[in-house]
Amino acid sequence: MTIRTRLTERLRIRHPVLSAPMAWAAGGRLAAAVSNAGGLGLIGGGYGDRDWLTREWAQAGNAVIGCGFITWSLDRKPELLQVALANAPRAVMLSFGDPRPYAEAIRSASAALICQVQTVRQAREALEAGADILVAQGSEAGGHSGTRATLPLVPEIVDLCAAEAPETLVLAAGGIADGRGLAASLMLGADGVLVGSRFWAAEEALVHPNALSRAVQASGDETLRSSVVDVVRGVDWPPPYAIRTLRNGFTERWHGQEEALAREGDAVRQAYADAAARGDMDTAAAIVGEAVGLIREIRPAAAILEAMVADAETWLVGGAGLVRPG
Ligand SMILES: Cc1cc2nc3c(=O)[nH]c(=O)nc-3n(C[C@H](O)[C@H](O)[C@H](O)COP(=O)(O)O)c2cc1C
């Protein structure tokens, strides 16, 4: 049995699951593994490093994959979109900014335009830009997000599309890490899901082993959505976005003290970068979402995807055993 949705039809994939374009973590090997297992893998174009992007596309081999960019960062290096489009992506995802300047180029390259949105207002803007697929992202997500929660945001955007743009598909993102999350998202009316944190903890992801060791021990209680990590990395994220990570000594020390942290200057910034490189997770915070509490082992991406889909099928066919005749 397989789960067929408008997403599997539209993107010509077997399973209604996309892996998120996670900056630095989602390279070509992860994207290819997800695509080869029947989903669609997206390379994390992130903040836009041409050499990294070129190298990671090569790592994907012949797999059909896609790519995602942080839109406000792409605005500073718009030529990087051509690097992605030259590789015939099946889809390009834009998040955190105005997609309109790029929509035409993406669609004329026969790639699906996916816009990740955090509010209903952004969903409307993405529809105006001609998005083929909206990703409704809740603040449970790993990495950057807005402030709304996945559970009510997804059906609100599903309703919006049903009323105003019935051809546009909707994916759920934020907190989905297993078959229950996939099944629940389909129940909310989504056509599929975009999964970040669970694939961040795949064997193929580009993540420091010390970060993974922390993640498999952690509960979802232990994450924090904050600007600390952006301030110390010197990344100028526009409000209202903040980044969800595991809490550690560094985030506990500086959360709420971001202005003072900014005044600390280069020494603390360099120390943080060094800590990230050597895997000192008391300083460098692992970038992962609330779904971390559902991640107990590091597995190949294909195994993660297959288990997620098989479990979702069980829930969708058998139900939760809650409704009994009579
Ligand atoms: C390590 C990490 C890096 C991320 N980087 C990006 C990014 O560069 N661009 C982007 O659009 N989303 C990024 N995200 C967010 C994902 O696109 C997605 O919304 C999120 O992972 C979904 O929630 P989940 O982590 O609970 O699955 C990142 C997420 C993680 C965990």
Side-chain angles (χ1 to χ4, degrees), residues 50-95:
R50 178 185 283 269
D51 292 344
W52 188 92
L53 197 54
T54 307
R55 194 174 63 240
E56 293 304 327
W57 271 100
Q59 289 287 325
N62 292 328
V64 175
I65 59 169
C67 181
F69 291 100
I70 293 168
T71 316
W72 63 257
S73 187
L74 188 61
D75 293 344
R76 297 174 184 175
K77 298 178 192 170
E79 67 281 4
L80 290 184
L81 180 59
Q82 294 309 324
V83 176
L85 295 181
N87 286 285
R90 179 138 310 165
V92 174
M93 177 167 134
L94 300 177
S95 311

Side-chain angles (χ1 to χ4, degrees), residues 20-23 70 93 95-96 116 137 141-142 174-175 194-197 200 287:
M22 297 172 280
I70 293 168
M93 177 167 134
S95 311
F96 314 117
Q116 181 162 249
Q137 185 214 35
L194 176 100
V195 174
S197 295
W200 172 91
I287 302 173

Side-chain angles (χ1 to χ4, degrees), residues 2 35 37 54 77 110 122 142 150 231 245 251 261 308 316 324-325:
T2 51
S35 285
T54 307
K77 298 178 192 170
S110 301
Q122 289 170 354
T150 307
V231 170
T245 67
T251 63
L261 175 59
M308 187 180 289
L316 291 167
R324 297 194 179 83

Side-chain angles (χ1 to χ4, degrees), residues 53-212:
L53 197 54
T54 307
R55 194 174 63 240
E56 293 304 327
W57 271 100
Q59 289 287 325
N62 292 328
V64 175
I65 59 169
C67 181
F69 291 100
I70 293 168
T71 316
W72 63 257
S73 187
L74 188 61
D75 293 344
R76 297 174 184 175
K77 298 178 192 170
E79 67 281 4
L80 290 184
L81 180 59
Q82 294 309 324
V83 176
L85 295 181
N87 286 285
R90 179 138 310 165
V92 174
M93 177 167 134
L94 300 177
S95 311
F96 314 117
D98 182 357
R100 282 174 300 185
Y102 311 104
E104 176 60 32
I106 293 168
R107 291 166 60 98
S108 28
S110 301
L113 170 60
I114 306 178
C115 294
Q116 181 162 249
V117 299
Q118 291 77 29
T119 63
V120 174
R121 185 173 164 176
Q122 289 170 354
R124 287 186 188 281
E125 288 166 3
L127 292 179
E128 275 166 32
D132 298 295
I133 301 173
L134 302 186
V135 177
Q137 185 214 35
S139 61
E140 300 91 321
H144 289 88
S145 64
T147 54
R148 295 220 30 202
T150 307
L151 194 70
L153 181 65
V154 171
E156 196 175 348
I157 291 181
V158 166
D159 288 348
L160 173 74
C161 288
E164 296 182 16
E167 294 302 311
T168 307
L169 311 191
V170 180
L171 308 187
I176 300 154
D178 60 20
R180 294 170 294 185
L182 171 55
S185 300
L186 298 175
M187 287 292 133
L188 294 176
D191 299 289
V193 296
L194 176 100
V195 174
S197 295
R198 187 63 193 92
F199 285 120
W200 172 91
E203 282 176 10
E204 296 88 347
L206 303 169
V207 177
H208 199 286
N210 295 356
L212 297 174

